[in-house]
Amino acid sequence: MINPSVKVRFAPSPTGELHIGGARTALFNWLFAQKNKGQFYLRIEDTDPERSQEKYTEQILESLSWLGLHWDKPLLYQSQRLDVYKERVKDLTTSGHVYQCFCSKDDLQTARNEGHYQYPGTCRNLSEADIKQKLNQGIGFTLRLRIPEGEIRYKDQIYGDISVDHKELDDFIIVRSDGSPTYNFVVVIDDHDMGITHVIRGEDHVSNTPKQIQIYKALGYDEPIFAHLPMILGPDKKRLSKRHGAPGVQKFKNDGYFSGSLLNYLALLGWNPGTEEEIFSINELADAFDLKQVQKKGAVWDEKKLHWLSGQYVMATSTDDLLNAIRDNEPDWGKGSEISLLISIVELLKVRAKSLIEFVNQSEYFFNDPVAYDEKGLKKAWKDGSVNTLISNFVESLMTLPAWRKEELESTFRSYVSEKELGLGKIIMPVRLAVCGTLNGPSIFDIMELVGKETCIRRLGTALERLPK
RNA sequence: GGCCCGUUCGUCUAGUGGUUAGGACUCCAGGUUUUCAUCCUGGCAACAGGAGUUCGAUUCUCCUACGGGCUACCA
């Protein structure tokens, strides 16, 4: 069943948690693999000891798992492949593709500051004697790739034909003076060794690709197919980064978004199904996915739409599943209450809450007496002492109510206002305020039934005491 | 500075050599509702600019502008 001609990978570096951009890259790789019945691998690019941390690897894997982007084994760590890279360096040395460069970092930097952006080729053609002399002097060296004249050309699955003159490519460094290999070098070896057929990554790698192709050629490897995804942008149209408050995947989990809604939104950021559908399950996404429908321009991250989408997911989820998800997210929610009560609450809030955490935030008054009253609500519903008179009379009729059910409650409300020749709102609003502390929410009759007679009467009493005049 | 890439409503996007340039989010108005939310109806809102090709360009070509990326002994 597995299609051997499709192997993709996601290669995060563990220098921080998985953020939105990385998640989208992972998603598109995963979708491509699913669609083509290929394999999806992970490679941890942990060769920067300064910034890499084990805990980030764990966080990233956790986030990917939560998203449901499961990967195939083996999981590769670059830090464990140093020996392999050394071998390849030897290969390139013997084949004459690299040369030693004795220029110091400072000198190169100085030249750049003076406007010479390219490596001048100082050490490109040193004589044997020169090299021997420098080595004897104990001068450290890097290894540079010797790039021939010519033009490089490749077909990007998203951007189309891209060509660059070799003159634009420096003889870039593949091994640092401390002997460690650089990114553009190892990425090629890893992708080759992993059998990667399609390299799908961010647009920031478009300019790296021609360099990497030089490595493929030097090593005698076949090139994979390349596809570059447009960037995700902040509201200022600059690449989304920590500066924008770079949303990490974990944040959305904590805020109670379903992973499906995040995935759905991410997919629509830069890709379109070719239809006017907006809502997709992860499997539907995989079916519909096609690199041809991927956009070239960067897309601005818009949390409003995510929020809407999340609301759609909430409404489409069964009450039981919602209840489980809410308690997964917030184990203390409704602790000590009957399950039947919780189910009723979820039922009532389902159409209002757009994320799991909103169920929690909007259900406070089902469990606890209000500690404060919404200020706008006070102005609207409890202007002066006349309300106290009205409510205290009404409470009396509530007390005598034989059955505390929403139907009876509603008829009590209605007969009371018709007797007084008032609008329904005149009585409902103050009651709402007293019982919930806020004017917004589901039907007051439903709320009162669930909250119970004793508690409602108590809350009304409290309000009458606290809100005179 | 150089190179590469991009540019349709505020945002995500569809689309064609001749369309009333379509949808979604947001926003606004109206309806439903005790309120909020939902739901329904309606509305605002875009082809960056300039040349050229053409009977005709949003669509094809070039230029300009703007935006992004790369230009590290980071990944």
Side-chain angles (χ1 to χ4, degrees), chain A residues 48-100:
Chain A
D48 181 349
E50 300 279 301
R51 299 190 302 149
S52 296
Q53 287 186 43
E54 179 81 35
K55 68 166 181 185
Y56 289 131
T57 301
E58 282 161 26
Q59 271 184 24
I60 290 168
L61 296 183
E62 199 181 312
S63 293
L64 288 171
S65 296
W66 176 69
L67 288 170
L69 303 180
H70 303 297
W71 56 92
D72 290 300
K73 287 180 176 156
L75 174 64
L76 209 72
Y77 288 86
Q78 278 189 332
S79 57
Q80 294 172 2
R81 290 176 44 80
L82 267 16
D83 292 344
V84 177
Y85 306 141
K86 285 207 175 100
E87 283 303 310
R88 296 295 87 81
V89 173
K90 269 189 211 159
D91 293 349
L92 288 185
T93 307
T94 34
S95 62
H97 283 285
V98 298
Y99 61 88
Q100 292 152 306

Side-chain angles (χ1 to χ4, degrees), chain A residues 21 83 97 128 208 227 234 276 289 304 318 358 457:
Chain A
D83 292 344
H97 283 285
E128 291 283 334
N208 287 327
E276 286 182 347
F289 189 74
K304 289 223 181 78
S318 76
E358 290 181 14
I457 302 286

Side-chain angles (χ1 to χ4, degrees), chain A residues 221-242:
Chain A
Y221 295 162
D222 286 337
E223 296 160 30
I225 293 167
F226 293 99
H228 289 95
L229 272 14
M231 304 270 88
I232 296 181
L233 279 18
D236 58 357
K237 307 265 185 176
K238 295 219 192 304
R239 175 189 186 164
L240 197 63
S241 71
K242 284 122 224 152

Side-chain angles (χ1 to χ4, degrees), chain A residues 404-407 409 444-452:
Chain A
W404 194 264
R405 282 197 309 262
K406 59 181 173 188
E407 293 80 5
L409 284 162
I444 187 64
F445 313 121
D446 283 312
I447 293 175
M448 288 175 81
E449 178 180 301
L450 292 179
V451 168

Side-chain angles (χ1 to χ4, degrees), chain A residues 405-415 424 443 445:
Chain A
R405 282 197 309 262
K406 59 181 173 188
E407 293 80 5
E408 280 76 6
L409 284 162
E410 177 160 5
S411 54
T412 306
F413 273 79
R414 288 193 186 277
S415 57
L424 234 202
S443 159
F445 313 121

Side-chain angles (χ1 to χ4, degrees), chain A residues 206-226:
Chain A
V206 167
S207 301
N208 287 327
T209 304
K211 294 183 185 175
Q212 291 166 17
I213 290 176
Q214 296 303 320
I215 303 274
Y216 278 99
K217 287 196 198 305
L219 251 15
Y221 295 162
D222 286 337
E223 296 160 30
I225 293 167
F226 293 99

